[in-house]
Amino acid sequence: PSMKRAHAAGPADLPLMARAFADRELRVAAVNPTVVRVKGVGDATYYDPVSNPCWSVVGGHSTGQFKQRGKMGVSAFTRRFPAAWAAVVPVVDGVDAAHARLVPDSHALQVDLLRKCEGAQRWLVGCSCWSTVQINRNLQCGCHVDKGDYKEGWSAMCVMQQGGYGGGYYALPRGRLAGD
């Protein structure tokens, strides 16, 4: 599981975190109650920020581990699980088609931006206008604002289910709106 989702993983669940780090000192970050600082092993004095554990991976391409070099690269999930990634791509293409149909102006802006970026096509997920997707399983997200997205673009969310489920709402707290 990932422990680096910060706000997206919701308010810090200290009992859960204490079980994950039984041998370490935990401190809730003063500025951000969704992040817990975990003291290093032994005499180390640094505190590594972590959040509630959740199943969450980046698919496609991202700056992630390549950020220091200012480059894009294939995400670890895409590289390590090619068959699983191949099953995700048609879903992303379907979500992109819905995005183009439901919010055509936003989609057109994003596609236009891609046409202006030399070599951008090689970083896209399938035939979509996105380079990166976040794949979460059974994740109750906290309210958060994504960082690093194209400011004129829209995010899209797709909920897939096996059996019944609860939640899955996309919420816009300032507008007091949520949709299933």
Side-chain angles (χ1 to χ4, degrees):
S2 171
M3 296 185 83
K4 297 292 186 179
R5 290 301 316 272
H7 294 300
D13 180 340
L14 286 178
L16 177 68
M17 306 285 268
R19 288 193 301 274
F21 296 100
D23 60 336
R24 305 213 197 152
E25 179 184 336
L26 303 179
R27 290 187 187 173
V28 176
V31 191
N32 180 356
T34 62
V35 174
V36 170
R37 305 260 178 212
V38 179
K39 187 172 184 186
V41 179
D43 294 329
T45 55
Y46 70 91
Y47 282 85
D48 187 29
V50 296
S51 58
N52 294 329
C54 58
W55 196 97
S56 180
V57 297
V58 172
H61 304 87
S62 70
T63 53
Q65 70 265 30
F66 309 99
K67 198 173 272 184
Q68 288 84 2
R69 292 177 266 160
K71 296 182 178 180
M72 290 277 284
V74 176
S75 76
F77 175 79
T78 302
R79 188 175 55 254
R80 290 176 56 205
F81 302 100
W85 176 244
V88 169
V89 172
V91 175
V92 175
D93 284 341
V95 172
D96 182 69
H99 177 224
R101 188 175 69 252
L102 297 170
V103 196
D105 293 343
S106 168
H107 189 271
L109 283 172
Q110 201 147 334
V111 169
D112 187 49
L113 174 70
L114 292 169
R115 285 191 187 118
K116 293 176 185 174
C117 297
E118 187 177 330
Q121 292 298 322
R122 67 182 172 152
W123 300 115
L124 297 181
V125 175
C127 297
S128 78
C129 66
W130 298 300
S131 63
T132 309
V133 296
Q134 189 70 42
I135 304 166
N136 305 308
R137 185 176 68 201
N138 297 332
L139 174 63
Q140 182 178 346
C141 281
C143 183
H144 67 283
V145 176
D146 287 346
K147 295 179 182 170
D149 291 350
Y150 174 48
K151 291 189 188 317
E152 302 300 321
W154 281 53
S155 291
M157 188 170 91
C158 172
V159 176
M160 300 181 77
Q161 74 180 64
Q162 183 176 5
Y165 78 96
Y169 298 107
Y170 183 75
L172 302 167
R174 289 187 191 137
R176 299 177 56 96
L177 298 169
D180 185 6

